[in-house]
Amino acid sequence: MSWYLYRLGRWAFRHRKGVLAAWLIALILAGTGAATLSGKTSDNFSMPGLESVEAFDLMKERNPDAAADGATARIVFQAPEGSKVTDPEYAGVIGETVESLGAEEGVINAVDPFEAKQISPDETVAYTTITYDTQSVDLSEAQVEALEEAPEAGREAGMTVEIGGDALMEIPETGASEAIGVVVALVVLIFTFGSLIAAGMPLLTALIGVGIGIAGITTLTGFMSLGSTTPILATMLGLAVGIDYALFIVSRYRHEVMIGRDPEEATGRAVGTAGSAVVFAGLTVVIALVGLSVVNISILTEMGLAAAATVAIAVLIALTLLPALFGFAKKRIIKGKIPGLRQHDPEADDHSDKPAMGHRWAGFVSRRKWIVAVLGVLVAAIASIPVMSLEESLPDDGTAATDTTQRKAYDLIADSFGAGANGPLLVVVDTRDAADAEAAVSQTTEAIEGIDTDVAAVVPGQGIPDADLATITVIPESGPADAATQDLVAEIRDAVGGIQDDTGAEVLVSGQTAVSVDVSEKLADALPVYLALVVGLAFILLILVFRSLLVPLSAVVGFLLTIGMAIGATVAVFQWGWLSELFGVDTPGPIISILPLLMVGILFGLAMDYQVFLVSRMREEFVHTGDAQASVVTGFSHSARVVTAAAIIMISVFGSFIISDMAMIKPIGFGLAFGILVDAFLVRMTLIPAFMAIVGKSAWWLPKWLDRLIPNLDIEGDQLTKRLEAQESKEPVEAGTR
C-alpha cells in the first residue's frame, strides 16, 4: 500500500495545479448547492419499536388532524407581587392572548387556563398550551413571530410572561467556537514548526475539507431531514482530524526535505509512510462513526454518516491536496522562519548531549515500566468511578440556559405546579377491539390511580371522537429527567399490563417524557452491542496494520480506560456539578442519552489515530533494527512532539465547543476534549510505551498460520524503502514487495 501512496503523492506533486483546481471547484460547487438548495434542520427523530412512539403513530393514524407530534408552546403568566392572575385586569389580558393565538394559522388548540384549571393554588401563575398542526421545524416565520409577540400585552400589563416548549426551538450557532479552535490550532502549529508556511498548510487543507463537508451536509437538508447538531459534529471532527492528518504528513515531508531529498521524492516518501498511517487512522474513525447506524436511531445515523463523510474528505485532501501544495512550496516549507522560534525537525534522530523531552520521557517509562503501568491503571480506575452513577435523559427546557425564556417558563411551572407538570405522561387506550370501551378506560384509570408513588394527579380518560381512542393524563410528582419519573413509567406499564387480556383494549404509555425514558433505555441496551461491533472490527483492522495480536489488544484495553475516564469526568461535571461554574453548567442533571454512544464512537476512532501514529513508528524502528526495547524509545521520540501538537489541537477544537449554550453540544465538547487529553497523554504516551517495554519482542508476535493468511500492508514503509533502494541500485525487486 505504501508504494501506491508514494506514487499518488508524487503524481499530486507533479499535477499540483490540476489537483488544486479540482478541490477548489468541489468547494465552489458544494457552496453553491448549500446556498441554493438547502432546507431547514430538525431535531425530531425516528426510533421504531418503542411503545411511546407507537402510541404517537397510532394517534396520527386514527386522528390525523390532531397532530399528535405537532409543535407545542406553553406561555406562562405570573401576576405582579401582591396580585393574582384571576384579577379582572390580568385575566382579561390572558384571555385575549389565548384567543389571539388560537386564531393564528396552524394552531389547532389554544387551552384556556381558567377552563382547564391550569392556575396555581395561590392563583399567582397560570399557563396555556398552544398546539400546532406541524412540527417546530415546519413553522413559518409569521407563526414564530406571532408566538414571540404574544407575551407583549401581558408584559405591558405588568405581568411576567415566558414561553416554553419546542415551538421556539433555535438553530444553534457555533461560529465563535470554531474560530477559537482554529486560532489555538494556528498557535500550536507555529510553535511546532517555527514557520508560517508549514503552520498554514494543515489549517488551509482542514478548512477546505470542512467547507466541502459542511456545504454538502447543508445541501442535503433540502432533500432530507437532518438534525441541527449534525453539521456541528461534522465541523468538530472535520477540523480536528483534518488538521491532525495534515500535521503528520507535513512533519514527515519537512523531515525528508531537511535531510536533503528532492521535494518531489520527499513528497512521495511522506505520503507513502505517514500517509499510510493517515489512511488507517481515518478508516478506524469512519468505522466507528458508520457503526452508529446499528443503533437504528435516525439522528445518530445521520450524525455518524455525515461526520464519517467529512473525515473521509479530510483523508483524501491529506493524500492529494497537501502533496499538491508541497509542489507549490517545495523547499520553502523549511523557510519563512518566525523570529524567536527555532525550526525543529521532530522526525530527526536526536544526537545532542541533552536528549529531547520525548526521548527522556520514553526512557523513564521504559525503565520504570511496572510502576508506571500500575499507577496509570489506578488513576484511570479512580477517574472512572463516576460512571457507576450515570443517569441519562433527553434534553428539555429544564436543561436550557437559565437566562432563556424556555428555562424561565420551565422553572415557573415547576415552582407553581410541581416539577412533574413540565413532563406529563399520556396513557393512550386503544378501544377498537374492546367489548366495552368505557369499562376498559375506567379500568385503566383505576389501575393508574392505584399507584401510590410519584403520582401527583390523574386526569380521567377523555375519548377522541371517531378514533376508538381515549387518553389519560398522568402528572408525576418528579421532573421529566428524574429517575423517579423513569420508575413511574415502568410502574404504569406494569399496572396496566393485564388490561388487554381483561378487556381487549391495548394500553400504551406515551408523551415526551415517556419517549425520553424509552430512548434512554434503548440506547443503554445498544451500547454494549455497538461497543463490541466497533471494537471487534477495529481489532481486526489493527491486526492487519501491525501484524500483531498484543498491540491491537493493548489498543482496545487502553480505549476502555479512556472511555471510562471521559464519561466519568462528564458525569462528575454535568451530573454531579463538580466545577460546574467553570464550565458554564447552569443546572447539573442527567447526561444526554446519546452522549455515551457518541463518545464511544468518536473517541475510539480518534484514540486509534494516536495508537497508529505512535506505534507505527515503533514498529518501523523495530523492523529496521530488531531491538524491541530501543524501538520503543526511538519510535516514541520521533513521533512524540507531533502527536503532542496534534492532541493539543484536537483538545482545543473540541474544548472550544464547551462555550456553546446547547445542552447537547456543551457536554459533547467537554467529554471529547477530556477524552483526548487522557487518551493521548496517559494512555497512548504513557501506558502503551510501558506495556511495549514490558512485553518486549512479544509485542510483535503473530501466529505463523495467521501471518500467512493476512496481507502485508507495509504501514511502516519498510517494503517501500527496499523497493526504492533497489531502484536506485538497479537491483531486481523481489516479488510481493508491493
Side-chain angles (χ1 to χ4, degrees):
M1 178 181 204
S2 58
W3 171 252
Y4 295 107
L5 291 176
Y6 166 84
R7 295 179 61 186
L8 175 63
R10 296 194 63 167
W11 178 87
F13 183 97
R14 291 193 300 268
H15 299 85
R16 47 190 173 273
K17 292 182 180 179
V19 172
L20 177 60
W23 280 110
L24 291 178
I25 290 172
L27 179 61
I28 292 171
L29 290 177
T32 303
T36 59
L37 302 175
S38 63
K40 293 183 178 180
T41 58
S42 171
D43 287 321
N44 297 302
F45 58 89
S46 62
M47 182 181 287
L50 298 184
E51 177 179 320
S52 52
V53 175
E54 289 177 353
F56 277 134
D57 292 340
L58 181 64
M59 294 175 69
K60 286 191 290 185
E61 177 187 340
R62 300 279 182 87
N63 188 17
D65 295 335
D69 59 349
T72 60
R74 293 209 280 186
I75 304 180
V76 187
F77 304 86
Q78 183 181 38
E81 187 174 353
S83 303
K84 299 180 179 181
V85 292
T86 52
D87 293 346
E89 58 180 308
Y90 302 122
V93 173
I94 294 173
E96 291 173 2
T97 301
V98 174
E99 183 179 354
S100 173
L101 280 172
E104 288 290 330
E105 180 183 358
V107 174
I108 60 176
N109 190 25
V111 176
D112 186 325
F114 300 102
E115 293 181 3
K117 299 181 180 179
Q118 292 175 173
I119 309 294
S120 63
D122 60 3
E123 298 184 348
T124 60
V125 176
Y127 71 90
T128 176
T129 302
I130 312 298
T131 306
Y132 293 86
D133 59 5
T134 59
Q135 297 181 348
S136 57
V137 68
D138 296 319
L139 293 178
S140 66
E141 292 184 8
Q143 289 174 305
V144 174
E145 288 178 5
L147 179 59
E148 291 175 334
E149 294 171 359
E152 292 306 316
R155 289 169 181 164
E156 291 175 0
M159 289 187 288
T160 298
V161 188
E162 306 294 348
I163 306 175
D166 64 351
L168 288 185
M169 183 181 298
E170 297 181 355
I171 303 301
E173 297 181 0
T174 59
S177 301
E178 298 159 12
I180 292 172
V182 169
V183 170
V184 174
L186 178 60
V187 172
V188 174
L189 289 168
I190 289 174
F191 275 92
T192 300
F193 294 127
S195 164
L196 282 175
I197 295 176
M201 282 189 181
L203 271 183
L204 176 62
T205 54
L207 290 174
I208 291 175
V210 168
I212 294 173
I214 299 306
I217 293 170
T218 304
T219 302
L220 285 177
T221 60
F223 302 92
M224 58 189 299
S225 177
L226 294 176
S228 60
T229 54
T230 298
I232 297 176
L233 180 63
T235 300
M236 275 189 192
L237 283 173
L239 276 177
V241 303
I243 295 173
D244 277 12
Y245 293 166
L247 169 62
F248 285 104
I249 295 178
V250 169
S251 178
R252 196 59 179 259
Y253 173 71
R254 292 179 76 247
H255 167 69
E256 297 292 340
V257 172
M258 283 182 171
I259 64 175
R261 296 198 192 279
D262 172 80
E264 183 176 335
E265 178 66 15
T267 298
R269 289 177 180 258
V271 177
T273 52
S276 296
V278 165
V279 169
F280 286 100
L283 191 55
T284 57
V285 178
V286 170
I287 287 174
L289 292 170
V290 172
L292 288 169
S293 60
V294 304
V295 183
N296 199 25
I297 299 177
S298 58
I299 190 171
L300 275 177
T301 301
E302 295 161 6
M303 292 171 73
L305 293 178
T310 306
V311 171
I313 292 172
V315 172
L316 291 174
I317 282 183
L319 298 178
T320 56
L321 179 57
L322 199 55
L325 295 181
F326 292 160
F328 290 105
K330 297 181 180 176
K331 290 189 177 183
R332 288 191 295 273
I333 194 77
I334 57 175
K335 297 180 181 180
K337 181 181 178 181
I338 299 174
L341 293 181
R342 182 170 66 94
Q343 288 235 9
H344 181 78
D345 180 8
E347 305 275 348
D349 292 325
D350 194 350
H351 300 297
S352 63
D353 295 333
K354 185 179 180 181
M357 176 63 74
H359 191 281
R360 297 200 302 272
W361 176 251
F364 168 79
V365 170
S366 296
R367 292 192 302 272
R368 302 286 188 269
K369 48 186 176 289
W370 282 106
I371 295 176
V372 169
V374 171
L375 288 178
V377 172
L378 183 61
V379 168
I382 293 173
S384 301
I385 289 176
V387 175
M388 304 301 294
S389 62
L390 172 65
E391 297 178 5
E392 300 176 80
S393 180
L394 291 180
D396 56 25
D397 287 348
T399 60
T402 53
D403 59 349
T404 62
T405 186
Q406 291 92 332
R407 176 60 182 276
K408 292 175 181 177
Y410 181 96
D411 290 341
L412 277 173
I413 291 176
D415 294 340
S416 303
F417 299 90
N422 279 300
L425 301 173
L426 186 68
V427 180
V428 179
V429 185
D430 179 5
T431 59
R432 175 161 291 180
D433 297 326
D436 188 336
E438 186 175 341
V441 175
S442 177
Q443 186 174 337
T444 303
T445 304
E446 292 175 2
I448 297 172
E449 290 175 338
I451 299 173
D452 56 4
T453 56
D454 201 46
V455 176
V458 178
V459 180
Q462 299 177 345
I464 300 177
D466 303 321
D468 295 323
L469 291 175
T471 59
I472 303 168
T473 302
V474 181
I475 310 296
E477 292 180 348
S478 53
D482 292 348
T485 304
Q486 298 179 17
D487 295 337
L488 177 60
V489 172
E491 286 189 55
I492 293 176
R493 285 172 174 163
D494 288 340
V496 301
I499 299 294
Q500 186 166 14
D501 292 336
D502 295 342
T503 67
E506 183 180 11
V507 182
L508 304 171
V509 180
S510 189
Q512 292 302 322
T513 300
V515 170
S516 175
V517 171
D518 289 347
V519 168
S520 298
E521 290 181 353
K522 180 168 183 178
L523 290 173
D525 292 340
L527 183 58
V529 177
Y530 173 65
L531 187 60
L533 174 67
V534 172
V535 169
L537 289 175
F539 182 77
I540 294 172
L541 180 63
L542 290 174
I543 290 177
L544 296 174
V545 170
F546 293 117
R547 304 189 69 79
S548 162
L549 292 180
L550 290 181
V551 171
L553 181 62
S554 69
V556 169
V557 172
F559 167 70
L560 295 178
L561 297 177
T562 294
I563 198 65
M565 289 185 284
I567 295 179
T570 305
V571 169
V573 172
F574 290 88
Q575 183 176 311
W576 291 358
W578 291 8
L579 303 176
S580 57
E581 293 184 2
L582 176 63
F583 294 104
V585 181
D586 293 315
T587 306
I591 302 301
I592 307 301
S593 301
I594 66 172
L595 183 58
L597 269 167
L598 277 178
M599 289 178 65
V600 166
I602 297 171
L603 282 178
F604 185 80
L606 299 180
M608 294 307 103
D609 283 2
Y610 298 127
Q611 180 80 11
V612 169
F613 290 130
L614 280 167
V615 182
S616 63
R617 288 310 304 267
M618 296 179 190
R619 175 167 173 78
E620 183 176 341
E621 293 299 323
F622 176 73
V623 169
H624 293 159
T625 67
D627 188 335
Q629 296 294 330
S631 68
V632 172
V633 177
T634 306
F636 184 93
S637 62
H638 279 317
S639 52
R641 182 181 176 91
V642 178
V643 169
T644 299
I648 292 173
I649 289 171
M650 199 167 282
I651 291 167
S652 302
V653 171
F654 289 143
S656 65
F657 285 84
I658 297 175
I659 67 174
S660 171
D661 290 331
M662 282 196 69
M664 184 180 295
I665 297 303
K666 184 187 290 287
I668 290 177
F670 172 84
L672 294 179
F674 187 84
I676 294 299
L677 174 69
V678 295
D679 186 81
F681 296 108
L682 176 59
V683 176
R684 307 301 155 188
M685 301 181 73
T686 303
L687 290 178
I688 293 300
F691 169 80
M692 300 290 286
I694 290 172
V695 299
K697 288 186 177 181
S698 298
W700 308 111
W701 173 80
L702 189 68
K704 291 183 179 180
W705 64 268
L706 185 57
D707 185 54
R708 290 191 297 268
L709 287 177
I710 63 176
N712 186 358
L713 300 177
D714 188 29
I715 190 173
E716 70 282 349
D718 181 61
Q719 297 297 326
L720 172 63
T721 302
K722 290 180 180 179
R723 183 179 186 118
L724 293 175
E725 289 175 351
Q727 286 184 343
E728 290 172 0
S729 61
K730 296 183 179 180
E731 294 177 0
V733 181
E734 295 181 6
T737 56
R738 291 194 182 186

